Amino acid sequence: MNAIVALCHFCELHGPRTLFCTEALHAPLPQGTGSGDSPGQNEQVEEEEGGIQMSSRIRSHSPAEGASADSSSPGPKKSDMCEGCRSLAAGHPGYISHDKETSIKYVSHQHPNHPQLFSIVRQACVRSLSCEVCPGREGPIFFGDEQHGFVFSHTFFIKDSLARGFQRWYSIIVIMMDRIYLINSWPFLLGKIRGILDELQGKALKVFEAEQFVCPQRAQRMNTAFTPFLHQRNGNAARSLTSLTRDENLWACLHTTFAWLLKACGSRLTEKLLEGAPTEDTLVQMEKLAELEEESESSEGEEGKPCPQARAEEGRELSKCPTNASLLSEGSWNVPPHRLPVFRSLRHMRQVLGPSAFRMLAWHVLIGNQVIWRGHDQELIQSALDVLQTMLPVGCVRTIPYSDQYEETYRCNFLGLSPQVQIPLHVQSSEFAVIVDVRTATRSNLYPVLFMDDEPLSKYEFVVASGSPVVTDRVGPTILNKIEAALANENLSVNVVDQCLVCLKEEWMNKVKVLFKFTKVDSRPKEDTQKLLSILAAAEDDNIKLLKFWMTGLSKTYKSHLMSTVRSPTSSESRN
Protein backbone atom coordinates (compact mmCIF):
# COMPACT_ATOMS: atom_id res chain seq x y z
CA MET A 1 0.00 0.00 0.00
CA ASN A 2 1.40 3.39 -0.98
CA ALA A 3 0.95 5.15 2.35
CA ILE A 4 2.91 6.56 5.29
CA VAL A 5 2.15 5.81 8.93
CA ALA A 6 3.48 8.33 11.44
CA LEU A 7 3.41 8.95 15.18
CA CYS A 8 3.11 12.66 16.03
CA HIS A 9 3.45 14.61 19.28
CA PHE A 10 2.43 18.10 20.40
CA CYS A 11 5.45 19.50 22.22
CA GLU A 12 4.82 22.28 24.73
CA LEU A 13 8.03 23.96 23.63
CA HIS A 14 8.08 23.43 19.86
CA GLY A 15 4.50 22.62 18.85
CA PRO A 16 3.48 19.68 16.60
CA ARG A 17 6.37 17.33 15.78
CA THR A 18 6.72 14.10 13.86
CA LEU A 19 8.30 11.48 16.09
CA PHE A 20 8.39 8.35 13.98
CA CYS A 21 7.19 7.38 10.49
CA THR A 22 7.19 4.24 8.36
CA GLU A 23 6.91 4.19 4.57
CA ALA A 24 6.84 1.45 1.93
CA LEU A 25 9.42 1.72 -0.82
CA HIS A 26 8.73 -0.07 -4.11
CA ALA A 27 11.71 1.51 -5.90
CA PRO A 28 15.40 1.31 -4.92
CA LEU A 29 16.19 2.70 -1.49
CA PRO A 30 17.07 6.39 -1.11
CA GLN A 31 20.68 7.43 -1.26
CA GLY A 32 22.51 6.46 1.90
CA THR A 33 20.46 3.31 2.59
CA GLY A 34 21.51 -0.23 1.93
CA SER A 35 21.30 -1.47 -1.66
CA GLY A 36 19.76 -4.76 -2.62
CA ASP A 37 17.40 -7.08 -0.83
CA SER A 38 20.10 -8.97 1.04
CA PRO A 39 21.89 -7.19 3.90
CA GLY A 40 25.38 -6.12 3.01
CA GLN A 41 28.21 -4.65 4.95
CA ASN A 42 26.12 -1.62 5.92
CA GLU A 43 23.16 -3.71 7.12
CA GLN A 44 22.99 -6.13 10.02
CA VAL A 45 20.14 -8.59 10.18
CA GLU A 46 18.34 -8.43 13.51
CA GLU A 47 15.13 -10.38 13.01
CA GLU A 48 13.29 -12.40 10.39
CA GLU A 49 9.66 -13.38 10.91
CA GLY A 50 6.59 -13.82 8.71
CA GLY A 51 8.41 -13.17 5.45
CA ILE A 52 9.59 -9.72 6.59
CA GLN A 53 13.28 -9.48 7.34
CA MET A 54 14.19 -6.71 9.77
CA SER A 55 17.57 -5.01 9.85
CA SER A 56 19.22 -1.79 10.90
CA ARG A 57 20.62 0.51 8.25
CA ILE A 58 23.63 2.74 8.40
CA ARG A 59 23.23 6.23 6.96
CA SER A 60 25.55 9.14 6.52
CA HIS A 61 23.51 11.02 9.11
CA SER A 62 20.83 10.03 11.55
CA PRO A 63 17.24 11.05 10.89
CA ALA A 64 17.05 12.40 14.38
CA GLU A 65 19.87 14.79 13.70
CA GLY A 66 17.82 16.47 10.98
CA ALA A 67 19.79 18.91 8.90
CA SER A 68 22.74 19.22 11.21
CA ALA A 69 24.86 17.01 9.00
CA ASP A 70 23.32 17.96 5.69
CA SER A 71 21.74 21.38 5.27
CA SER A 72 19.76 20.24 2.22
CA SER A 73 18.02 17.41 4.07
CA PRO A 74 14.51 17.95 5.39
CA GLY A 75 13.73 18.08 9.08
CA PRO A 76 14.09 20.53 11.96
CA LYS A 77 17.46 21.63 13.19
CA LYS A 78 18.99 19.92 16.19
CA SER A 79 18.69 23.11 18.23
CA ASP A 80 14.92 23.15 17.63
CA MET A 81 14.42 19.67 19.12
CA CYS A 82 14.09 18.60 22.72
CA GLU A 83 13.96 15.18 24.29
CA GLY A 84 10.22 14.97 23.77
CA CYS A 85 10.57 15.83 20.06
CA ARG A 86 13.17 13.15 19.37
CA SER A 87 12.50 9.47 18.85
CA LEU A 88 15.71 7.80 17.70
CA ALA A 89 18.93 8.70 19.44
CA ALA A 90 21.63 10.65 17.63
CA GLY A 91 23.46 8.33 15.26
CA HIS A 92 20.74 5.67 15.29
CA PRO A 93 20.53 4.06 11.82
CA GLY A 94 16.78 3.63 11.79
CA TYR A 95 14.97 0.45 10.73
CA ILE A 96 14.29 -1.33 7.46
CA SER A 97 12.31 -4.49 6.73
CA HIS A 98 12.44 -6.55 3.53
CA ASP A 99 9.22 -8.25 2.46
CA LYS A 100 10.42 -11.24 0.46
CA GLU A 101 6.98 -11.98 -0.98
CA THR A 102 6.49 -8.63 -2.69
CA SER A 103 10.05 -7.22 -2.71
CA ILE A 104 8.80 -4.15 -0.84
CA LYS A 105 10.99 -2.44 1.75
CA TYR A 106 9.48 -0.82 4.82
CA VAL A 107 11.67 1.99 6.14
CA SER A 108 11.22 3.71 9.51
CA HIS A 109 12.87 6.94 10.65
CA GLN A 110 11.88 10.16 12.30
CA HIS A 111 11.26 12.10 9.08
CA PRO A 112 10.95 11.05 5.43
CA ASN A 113 14.12 11.64 3.44
CA HIS A 114 12.32 13.04 0.41
CA PRO A 115 11.61 16.79 0.80
CA GLN A 116 8.12 16.55 -0.73
CA LEU A 117 7.13 13.67 1.53
CA PHE A 118 8.55 15.51 4.51
CA SER A 119 6.36 18.51 3.67
CA ILE A 120 3.25 16.33 3.32
CA VAL A 121 3.87 14.51 6.60
CA ARG A 122 4.71 17.77 8.38
CA GLN A 123 1.48 19.44 7.25
CA ALA A 124 -0.58 16.38 8.20
CA CYS A 125 1.08 16.37 11.63
CA VAL A 126 0.27 20.04 12.25
CA ARG A 127 -3.33 19.67 11.12
CA SER A 128 -3.95 16.51 13.17
CA LEU A 129 -2.75 18.20 16.40
CA SER A 130 -4.03 21.74 15.89
CA CYS A 131 -6.92 22.62 13.60
CA GLU A 132 -8.39 19.20 12.70
CA VAL A 133 -9.65 18.11 16.12
CA CYS A 134 -12.59 15.86 16.92
CA PRO A 135 -14.90 16.51 19.91
CA GLY A 136 -13.16 15.55 23.13
CA ARG A 137 -9.79 15.88 21.40
CA GLU A 138 -9.40 12.08 21.38
CA GLY A 139 -10.62 9.92 18.53
CA PRO A 140 -10.40 9.37 14.76
CA ILE A 141 -10.88 12.03 12.10
CA PHE A 142 -10.47 12.25 8.33
CA PHE A 143 -9.18 15.23 6.34
CA GLY A 144 -7.04 16.10 3.34
CA ASP A 145 -7.10 17.15 -0.30
CA GLU A 146 -5.81 16.04 -3.70
CA GLN A 147 -2.64 18.11 -3.46
CA HIS A 148 -1.38 17.19 0.01
CA GLY A 149 -2.92 13.76 0.36
CA PHE A 150 -5.70 12.38 2.54
CA VAL A 151 -5.16 11.62 6.20
CA PHE A 152 -6.69 9.24 8.72
CA SER A 153 -5.76 10.66 12.14
CA HIS A 154 -6.38 9.25 15.61
CA THR A 155 -5.44 11.59 18.49
CA PHE A 156 -4.91 10.33 22.03
CA PHE A 157 -3.30 11.28 25.37
CA ILE A 158 -0.39 9.68 27.20
CA LYS A 159 -0.11 10.02 30.97
CA ASP A 160 2.91 12.04 32.20
CA SER A 161 3.31 13.06 35.82
CA LEU A 162 5.50 16.05 34.83
CA ALA A 163 3.27 17.43 32.05
CA ARG A 164 0.63 20.13 32.30
CA GLY A 165 -2.63 18.37 33.11
CA PHE A 166 -0.61 15.18 33.72
CA GLN A 167 -0.87 14.12 30.09
CA ARG A 168 0.69 14.71 26.69
CA TRP A 169 -1.02 14.81 23.31
CA TYR A 170 -0.12 12.39 20.51
CA SER A 171 -1.61 11.21 17.24
CA ILE A 172 -1.13 8.34 14.80
CA ILE A 173 -1.76 9.35 11.19
CA VAL A 174 -2.03 7.38 7.94
CA ILE A 175 -1.43 9.41 4.76
CA MET A 176 -2.17 8.32 1.20
CA MET A 177 -3.29 9.89 -2.07
CA ASP A 178 -6.15 7.45 -2.70
CA ARG A 179 -9.17 8.88 -0.88
CA ILE A 180 -11.54 6.01 -1.71
CA TYR A 181 -9.09 3.35 -0.56
CA LEU A 182 -8.42 5.18 2.69
CA ILE A 183 -12.13 5.59 3.45
CA ASN A 184 -12.78 1.92 2.71
CA SER A 185 -9.91 1.02 5.07
CA TRP A 186 -11.38 3.13 7.91
CA PRO A 187 -12.81 0.22 10.00
CA PHE A 188 -9.63 -1.82 9.64
CA LEU A 189 -7.31 1.08 10.50
CA LEU A 190 -9.47 2.21 13.40
CA GLY A 191 -9.40 -1.18 15.09
CA LYS A 192 -5.66 -1.76 14.63
CA ILE A 193 -4.60 1.76 15.61
CA ARG A 194 -6.77 1.67 18.72
CA GLY A 195 -4.97 -1.51 19.68
CA ILE A 196 -1.60 0.26 19.30
CA LEU A 197 -2.53 3.33 21.34
CA ASP A 198 -4.25 1.22 24.01
CA GLU A 199 -0.98 -0.61 24.52
CA LEU A 200 0.96 2.67 24.69
CA GLN A 201 -1.52 4.20 27.12
CA GLY A 202 -1.46 1.08 29.28
CA LYS A 203 2.34 1.14 29.60
CA ALA A 204 2.38 4.88 30.32
CA LEU A 205 -0.37 4.53 32.92
CA LYS A 206 1.67 1.99 34.88
CA VAL A 207 4.68 4.34 34.87
CA PHE A 208 2.46 7.28 35.86
CA GLU A 209 0.93 5.42 38.81
CA ALA A 210 4.36 4.27 40.00
CA GLU A 211 5.74 7.82 39.88
CA GLN A 212 2.69 9.23 41.61
CA PHE A 213 3.04 6.66 44.37
CA VAL A 214 6.66 7.68 44.97
CA CYS A 215 6.17 11.45 44.62
CA PRO A 216 2.61 12.76 44.20
CA GLN A 217 2.78 15.71 41.85
CA ARG A 218 -0.71 17.06 42.50
CA ALA A 219 0.05 18.00 46.14
CA GLN A 220 3.40 19.47 45.18
CA ARG A 221 1.80 21.67 42.54
CA MET A 222 -0.89 22.80 44.97
CA ASN A 223 1.84 24.16 47.22
CA THR A 224 3.42 26.12 44.34
CA ALA A 225 0.15 27.32 42.84
CA PHE A 226 1.25 30.94 42.56
CA THR A 227 4.60 30.12 41.00
CA PRO A 228 4.63 30.80 37.24
CA PHE A 229 4.44 27.53 35.34
CA LEU A 230 6.69 28.63 32.50
CA HIS A 231 9.89 28.32 34.48
CA GLN A 232 9.15 24.63 35.11
CA ARG A 233 9.64 23.93 31.42
CA ASN A 234 13.35 24.36 31.87
CA GLY A 235 13.39 21.27 34.07
CA ASN A 236 12.68 17.72 32.96
CA ALA A 237 9.19 18.48 31.64
CA ALA A 238 9.87 17.40 28.03
CA ARG A 239 10.22 13.63 28.33
CA SER A 240 10.55 11.11 25.51
CA LEU A 241 7.94 8.46 24.82
CA THR A 242 10.40 5.71 25.78
CA SER A 243 10.78 7.42 29.16
CA LEU A 244 7.03 7.67 29.61
CA THR A 245 6.51 3.98 28.85
CA ARG A 246 9.87 2.65 30.11
CA ASP A 247 10.15 0.54 26.98
CA GLU A 248 13.62 0.62 25.44
CA ASN A 249 12.42 -1.41 22.42
CA LEU A 250 9.49 0.90 21.76
CA TRP A 251 10.65 2.19 18.37
CA ALA A 252 11.60 -1.26 17.09
CA CYS A 253 8.15 -2.55 18.10
CA LEU A 254 6.46 0.44 16.44
CA HIS A 255 8.45 -0.22 13.27
CA THR A 256 7.28 -3.83 13.03
CA THR A 257 3.73 -2.80 13.91
CA PHE A 258 3.60 -0.01 11.32
CA ALA A 259 5.21 -2.24 8.67
CA TRP A 260 2.63 -4.96 9.32
CA LEU A 261 -0.15 -2.36 9.23
CA LEU A 262 0.93 -1.16 5.78
CA LYS A 263 1.26 -4.70 4.45
CA ALA A 264 -2.03 -5.95 5.91
CA CYS A 265 -4.01 -2.89 4.87
CA GLY A 266 -2.65 -3.13 1.34
CA SER A 267 -3.50 -6.81 0.93
CA ARG A 268 -6.96 -6.85 2.51
CA LEU A 269 -8.58 -4.96 -0.38
CA THR A 270 -8.10 -6.08 -3.97
CA GLU A 271 -9.53 -4.68 -7.18
CA LYS A 272 -11.99 -6.87 -9.08
CA LEU A 273 -13.12 -6.47 -12.66
CA LEU A 274 -16.91 -6.30 -12.60
CA GLU A 275 -18.25 -7.31 -15.99
CA GLY A 276 -21.47 -5.87 -17.28
CA ALA A 277 -24.21 -7.61 -19.18
CA PRO A 278 -22.99 -10.49 -21.40
CA THR A 279 -22.28 -9.63 -25.00
CA GLU A 280 -24.28 -11.06 -27.88
CA ASP A 281 -21.40 -13.38 -28.76
CA THR A 282 -21.45 -14.78 -25.22
CA LEU A 283 -25.23 -15.28 -25.28
CA VAL A 284 -25.10 -17.04 -28.65
CA GLN A 285 -22.30 -19.34 -27.50
CA MET A 286 -24.25 -20.22 -24.35
CA GLU A 287 -27.35 -20.97 -26.40
CA LYS A 288 -25.44 -23.20 -28.81
CA LEU A 289 -23.81 -25.03 -25.93
CA ALA A 290 -27.20 -25.64 -24.36
CA GLU A 291 -28.55 -26.96 -27.68
CA LEU A 292 -25.60 -29.32 -28.00
CA GLU A 293 -26.19 -30.67 -24.50
CA GLU A 294 -29.89 -31.24 -25.23
CA GLU A 295 -29.09 -33.00 -28.51
CA SER A 296 -26.49 -35.22 -26.89
CA GLU A 297 -28.92 -36.21 -24.13
CA SER A 298 -31.74 -36.96 -26.56
CA SER A 299 -29.52 -38.91 -28.98
CA GLU A 300 -28.03 -41.30 -26.42
CA GLY A 301 -28.75 -44.92 -27.25
CA GLU A 302 -29.88 -47.67 -24.95
CA GLU A 303 -26.31 -48.37 -23.91
CA GLY A 304 -25.74 -44.73 -23.04
CA LYS A 305 -23.55 -43.98 -26.07
CA PRO A 306 -24.38 -41.30 -28.63
CA CYS A 307 -25.12 -42.57 -32.13
CA PRO A 308 -22.72 -41.77 -35.03
CA GLN A 309 -25.18 -39.32 -36.56
CA ALA A 310 -25.35 -37.35 -33.31
CA ARG A 311 -21.55 -37.27 -33.13
CA ALA A 312 -21.35 -35.92 -36.67
CA GLU A 313 -23.93 -33.25 -35.97
CA GLU A 314 -22.14 -32.32 -32.76
CA GLY A 315 -18.86 -31.93 -34.60
CA ARG A 316 -20.53 -29.76 -37.23
CA GLU A 317 -22.14 -27.55 -34.58
CA LEU A 318 -18.88 -27.20 -32.72
CA SER A 319 -17.22 -26.05 -35.91
CA LYS A 320 -19.72 -23.22 -36.07
CA CYS A 321 -18.72 -21.88 -32.65
CA PRO A 322 -15.28 -20.26 -32.71
CA THR A 323 -13.35 -20.40 -29.51
CA ASN A 324 -12.86 -17.43 -27.22
CA ALA A 325 -9.16 -17.29 -28.00
CA SER A 326 -8.28 -14.43 -30.28
CA LEU A 327 -7.64 -15.42 -33.88
CA LEU A 328 -5.94 -12.11 -34.54
CA SER A 329 -3.09 -12.87 -32.20
CA GLU A 330 0.04 -14.27 -33.76
CA GLY A 331 0.58 -16.69 -30.87
CA SER A 332 -2.98 -17.96 -30.51
CA TRP A 333 -2.39 -21.20 -32.41
CA ASN A 334 -1.42 -24.08 -30.17
CA VAL A 335 -0.04 -26.51 -32.76
CA PRO A 336 3.39 -28.05 -33.29
CA PRO A 337 5.93 -25.83 -35.10
CA HIS A 338 6.10 -28.13 -38.13
CA ARG A 339 2.33 -27.73 -38.73
CA LEU A 340 1.86 -24.00 -38.29
CA PRO A 341 -1.36 -22.65 -39.87
CA VAL A 342 -0.70 -20.47 -42.84
CA PHE A 343 -2.92 -17.54 -41.84
CA ARG A 344 -2.19 -16.27 -38.35
CA SER A 345 -4.17 -13.01 -38.39
CA LEU A 346 -6.18 -10.67 -40.58
CA ARG A 347 -3.11 -8.53 -41.11
CA HIS A 348 -1.21 -11.60 -42.25
CA MET A 349 -3.96 -12.50 -44.72
CA ARG A 350 -4.07 -8.94 -46.07
CA GLN A 351 -0.33 -9.04 -46.73
CA VAL A 352 -0.62 -12.37 -48.56
CA LEU A 353 -3.68 -11.60 -50.71
CA GLY A 354 -2.92 -7.93 -51.28
CA PRO A 355 -5.06 -4.93 -50.20
CA SER A 356 -7.49 -5.01 -53.14
CA ALA A 357 -8.20 -8.77 -53.01
CA PHE A 358 -8.51 -8.67 -49.23
CA ARG A 359 -10.96 -5.75 -49.40
CA MET A 360 -13.17 -7.69 -51.85
CA LEU A 361 -13.09 -10.75 -49.59
CA ALA A 362 -13.80 -8.78 -46.41
CA TRP A 363 -16.65 -6.88 -48.10
CA HIS A 364 -18.44 -10.15 -48.94
CA VAL A 365 -17.81 -11.48 -45.42
CA LEU A 366 -19.29 -8.45 -43.65
CA ILE A 367 -22.51 -8.22 -45.64
CA GLY A 368 -23.25 -11.96 -45.38
CA ASN A 369 -22.38 -13.33 -48.82
CA GLN A 370 -21.06 -16.86 -49.10
CA VAL A 371 -17.27 -17.21 -48.89
CA ILE A 372 -15.87 -20.31 -50.61
CA TRP A 373 -12.26 -21.51 -50.32
CA ARG A 374 -11.19 -24.35 -52.59
CA GLY A 375 -7.88 -26.19 -52.44
CA HIS A 376 -5.91 -29.31 -51.47
CA ASP A 377 -4.53 -28.12 -48.12
CA GLN A 378 -7.35 -28.60 -45.64
CA GLU A 379 -5.37 -27.03 -42.80
CA LEU A 380 -4.71 -23.89 -44.86
CA ILE A 381 -8.43 -23.52 -45.69
CA GLN A 382 -9.41 -24.12 -42.07
CA SER A 383 -7.05 -21.37 -40.87
CA ALA A 384 -8.35 -18.94 -43.51
CA LEU A 385 -11.98 -19.50 -42.51
CA ASP A 386 -11.18 -19.19 -38.82
CA VAL A 387 -9.42 -15.87 -39.35
CA LEU A 388 -12.22 -14.44 -41.50
CA GLN A 389 -14.86 -15.41 -38.92
CA THR A 390 -13.39 -12.96 -36.43
CA MET A 391 -14.91 -10.07 -38.39
CA LEU A 392 -18.46 -11.28 -37.71
CA PRO A 393 -20.59 -11.81 -34.59
CA VAL A 394 -20.73 -15.43 -33.51
CA GLY A 395 -24.42 -15.67 -34.35
CA CYS A 396 -23.75 -14.82 -37.99
CA VAL A 397 -21.20 -17.60 -38.51
CA ARG A 398 -22.26 -20.85 -40.19
CA THR A 399 -19.28 -22.91 -41.27
CA ILE A 400 -18.61 -26.16 -43.09
CA PRO A 401 -14.80 -26.39 -42.88
CA TYR A 402 -14.18 -28.91 -45.67
CA SER A 403 -16.60 -30.75 -47.90
CA ASP A 404 -16.59 -32.97 -51.00
CA GLN A 405 -19.72 -31.32 -52.37
CA TYR A 406 -21.07 -27.81 -52.68
CA GLU A 407 -23.40 -26.65 -49.90
CA GLU A 408 -26.08 -24.02 -50.40
CA THR A 409 -25.90 -20.55 -48.88
CA TYR A 410 -28.68 -21.16 -46.39
CA ARG A 411 -26.58 -23.92 -44.80
CA CYS A 412 -23.32 -22.02 -44.51
CA ASN A 413 -21.73 -18.70 -45.30
CA PHE A 414 -18.19 -20.11 -44.90
CA LEU A 415 -17.43 -23.16 -47.02
CA GLY A 416 -14.25 -25.12 -47.65
CA LEU A 417 -14.14 -27.39 -50.70
CA SER A 418 -11.73 -29.89 -52.14
CA PRO A 419 -10.36 -28.91 -55.58
CA GLN A 420 -12.36 -31.63 -57.39
CA VAL A 421 -15.70 -30.09 -56.42
CA GLN A 422 -17.47 -28.28 -59.24
CA ILE A 423 -19.16 -25.08 -58.11
CA PRO A 424 -22.47 -24.42 -59.91
CA LEU A 425 -22.32 -21.81 -62.65
CA HIS A 426 -25.02 -19.66 -61.05
CA VAL A 427 -22.88 -19.46 -57.92
CA GLN A 428 -19.73 -18.55 -59.84
CA SER A 429 -21.52 -15.69 -61.55
CA SER A 430 -23.53 -14.66 -58.49
CA GLU A 431 -22.97 -11.35 -56.79
CA PHE A 432 -23.71 -13.02 -53.46
CA ALA A 433 -20.62 -15.25 -53.39
CA VAL A 434 -16.86 -14.93 -53.53
CA ILE A 435 -14.52 -17.79 -54.43
CA VAL A 436 -10.86 -18.14 -53.43
CA ASP A 437 -8.95 -20.80 -55.35
CA VAL A 438 -5.77 -22.01 -53.64
CA ARG A 439 -3.38 -23.21 -56.33
CA THR A 440 0.16 -24.44 -56.38
CA ALA A 441 2.53 -21.59 -57.18
CA THR A 442 4.38 -21.80 -60.48
CA ARG A 443 7.47 -20.17 -58.95
CA SER A 444 9.48 -21.77 -56.18
CA ASN A 445 9.27 -18.71 -53.96
CA LEU A 446 6.34 -16.41 -54.56
CA TYR A 447 6.85 -14.09 -51.58
CA PRO A 448 10.59 -13.90 -50.96
CA VAL A 449 10.55 -10.53 -49.14
CA LEU A 450 7.54 -10.62 -46.83
CA PHE A 451 7.62 -14.23 -45.78
CA MET A 452 11.15 -15.56 -45.86
CA ASP A 453 10.47 -17.85 -42.87
CA ASP A 454 7.01 -18.95 -44.05
CA GLU A 455 7.61 -22.10 -46.07
CA PRO A 456 3.90 -22.98 -46.59
CA LEU A 457 3.19 -19.63 -48.26
CA SER A 458 5.80 -20.13 -50.92
CA LYS A 459 3.84 -23.09 -52.25
CA TYR A 460 0.56 -21.36 -53.05
CA GLU A 461 -1.04 -18.58 -54.99
CA PHE A 462 -4.55 -17.26 -54.30
CA VAL A 463 -7.09 -16.25 -56.93
CA VAL A 464 -10.07 -14.26 -55.61
CA ALA A 465 -13.08 -14.01 -57.92
CA SER A 466 -16.68 -12.92 -57.61
CA GLY A 467 -19.66 -12.17 -59.85
CA SER A 468 -19.81 -8.74 -58.19
CA PRO A 469 -16.25 -7.46 -57.75
CA VAL A 470 -15.91 -4.55 -55.36
CA VAL A 471 -15.00 -1.31 -57.07
CA THR A 472 -11.90 0.21 -55.49
CA ASP A 473 -13.42 3.68 -55.23
CA ARG A 474 -16.60 2.35 -53.60
CA VAL A 475 -17.17 3.59 -50.05
CA GLY A 476 -18.11 0.19 -48.63
CA PRO A 477 -19.25 -0.55 -45.07
CA THR A 478 -17.92 1.90 -42.50
CA ILE A 479 -16.59 -0.88 -40.31
CA LEU A 480 -14.58 -2.28 -43.26
CA ASN A 481 -12.79 1.03 -43.77
CA LYS A 482 -11.90 1.19 -40.06
CA ILE A 483 -10.66 -2.40 -40.06
CA GLU A 484 -8.44 -1.72 -43.08
CA ALA A 485 -7.06 1.43 -41.46
CA ALA A 486 -6.16 -0.54 -38.33
CA LEU A 487 -4.56 -3.38 -40.31
CA ALA A 488 -2.54 -0.96 -42.45
CA ASN A 489 -1.20 0.90 -39.41
CA GLU A 490 2.04 -0.89 -38.59
CA ASN A 491 2.37 1.06 -35.35
CA LEU A 492 -0.51 -0.97 -33.93
CA SER A 493 0.39 -4.42 -32.66
CA VAL A 494 -1.73 -7.46 -33.47
CA ASN A 495 -3.19 -7.44 -29.96
CA VAL A 496 -4.22 -3.81 -30.29
CA VAL A 497 -5.87 -4.51 -33.65
CA ASP A 498 -7.66 -7.40 -31.96
CA GLN A 499 -9.16 -5.07 -29.36
CA CYS A 500 -10.08 -2.52 -32.03
CA LEU A 501 -12.05 -5.20 -33.86
CA VAL A 502 -13.86 -6.20 -30.67
CA CYS A 503 -14.87 -2.59 -30.05
CA LEU A 504 -16.03 -2.12 -33.64
CA LYS A 505 -18.19 -5.24 -33.53
CA GLU A 506 -19.76 -4.15 -30.25
CA GLU A 507 -20.44 -0.69 -31.68
CA TRP A 508 -22.27 -2.06 -34.72
CA MET A 509 -24.09 -4.74 -32.73
CA ASN A 510 -25.56 -1.93 -30.62
CA LYS A 511 -26.79 -0.29 -33.81
CA VAL A 512 -28.28 -3.62 -34.87
CA LYS A 513 -30.15 -3.87 -31.56
CA VAL A 514 -31.57 -0.38 -31.96
CA LEU A 515 -32.68 -1.13 -35.52
CA PHE A 516 -34.24 -4.45 -34.48
CA LYS A 517 -36.21 -2.80 -31.69
CA PHE A 518 -37.27 0.01 -33.99
CA THR A 519 -38.42 -2.10 -36.96
CA LYS A 520 -39.31 -5.57 -35.69
CA VAL A 521 -40.66 -4.80 -32.24
CA ASP A 522 -42.11 -1.30 -32.53
CA SER A 523 -43.01 -1.68 -36.27
CA ARG A 524 -42.18 1.90 -37.14
CA PRO A 525 -42.85 3.17 -40.70
CA LYS A 526 -40.15 3.21 -43.36
CA GLU A 527 -39.73 7.01 -43.18
CA ASP A 528 -38.85 6.81 -39.49
CA THR A 529 -36.44 3.97 -40.22
CA GLN A 530 -34.57 6.12 -42.74
CA LYS A 531 -34.25 8.88 -40.18
CA LEU A 532 -32.93 6.39 -37.63
CA LEU A 533 -30.33 5.08 -40.09
CA SER A 534 -29.18 8.63 -40.70
CA ILE A 535 -28.81 9.17 -36.96
CA LEU A 536 -26.85 5.91 -36.68
CA ALA A 537 -24.57 7.02 -39.56
CA ALA A 538 -25.57 3.88 -41.48
CA ALA A 539 -27.76 5.15 -44.31
CA GLU A 540 -25.50 3.85 -47.13
CA ASP A 541 -26.50 0.69 -48.98
CA ASP A 542 -23.55 -1.37 -47.80
CA ASN A 543 -24.16 -0.38 -44.16
CA ILE A 544 -27.85 -1.29 -44.48
CA LYS A 545 -26.93 -4.71 -45.90
CA LEU A 546 -24.51 -5.23 -43.03
CA LEU A 547 -27.11 -4.29 -40.40
CA LYS A 548 -29.73 -6.58 -41.88
CA PHE A 549 -27.29 -9.50 -42.01
CA TRP A 550 -25.97 -8.93 -38.50
CA MET A 551 -29.57 -8.79 -37.25
CA THR A 552 -29.76 -12.53 -37.96
CA GLY A 553 -26.98 -13.04 -35.41
CA LEU A 554 -28.92 -11.63 -32.46
CA SER A 555 -29.38 -14.13 -29.68
CA LYS A 556 -32.73 -15.75 -28.97
CA THR A 557 -32.41 -14.53 -25.40
CA TYR A 558 -32.29 -10.90 -26.49
CA LYS A 559 -35.16 -11.26 -28.94
CA SER A 560 -37.41 -13.02 -26.45
CA HIS A 561 -36.58 -10.44 -23.81
CA LEU A 562 -37.68 -7.62 -26.11
CA MET A 563 -40.85 -9.40 -27.11
CA SER A 564 -41.81 -10.18 -23.53
CA THR A 565 -41.15 -6.59 -22.52
CA VAL A 566 -43.41 -5.26 -25.25
CA ARG A 567 -46.22 -7.69 -24.46
CA SER A 568 -46.17 -7.08 -20.70
CA PRO A 569 -48.98 -4.89 -19.27
CA THR A 570 -46.59 -2.47 -17.60
CA SER A 571 -44.85 -1.67 -20.88
CA SER A 572 -48.14 -1.06 -22.68
CA GLU A 573 -49.29 1.24 -19.90
CA SER A 574 -46.04 3.19 -20.03
CA ARG A 575 -46.46 3.62 -23.80
CA ASN A 576 -49.95 5.03 -23.36
Side-chain angles (χ1 to χ4, degrees), residues 420-562:
Q420 295 81 14
V421 177
Q422 293 295 325
I423 301 175
L425 294 177
H426 72 275
V427 177
Q428 297 182 23
S429 59
S430 173
E431 60 178 344
F432 303 109
V434 59
I435 303 171
V436 182
D437 281 314
V438 183
R439 302 171 182 174
T440 304
T442 56
R443 288 176 289 176
S444 60
N445 196 349
L446 190 60
Y447 306 105
V449 179
L450 290 178
F451 309 103
M452 293 178 63
D453 300 329
D454 253 335
E455 280 299 321
L457 286 175
S458 63
K459 303 176 183 178
Y460 305 106
E461 61 180 353
F462 306 91
V463 180
V464 183
S466 173
S468 176
V470 179
V471 182
T472 56
D473 58 351
R474 187 168 177 174
V475 177
T478 304
I479 189 174
L480 174 58
N481 300 326
K482 293 183 178 181
I483 291 175
E484 284 193 307
L487 295 176
N489 189 350
E490 296 294 338
N491 294 326
L492 301 181
S493 65
V494 176
N495 292 331
V496 173
V497 175
D498 184 2
Q499 296 304 316
C500 289
L501 184 57
V502 172
C503 295
L504 288 173
K505 288 196 296 184
E506 284 299 309
E507 175 189 354
W508 281 84
M509 280 304 294
N510 290 333
K511 296 181 180 182
V512 169
K513 292 179 180 180
V514 174
L515 184 62
F516 178 82
K517 174 71 166 54
F518 200 81
T519 58
K520 304 298 183 181
V521 180
D522 296 341
S523 300
R524 298 294 183 91
K526 186 176 295 184
E527 295 78 8
D528 293 345
T529 304
Q530 291 297 327
K531 294 179 182 179
L532 176 64
L533 292 173
S534 300
I535 295 174
L536 296 177
E540 296 80 5
D541 291 340
D542 289 341
N543 287 330
I544 295 175
K545 292 179 181 178
L546 182 143
L547 292 176
K548 290 182 178 180
F549 170 57
W550 284 28
M551 198 179 294
T552 61
L554 288 175
S555 62
K556 298 178 182 178
T557 304
Y558 178 77
K559 293 179 181 179
S560 61
H561 171 71
L562 283 184

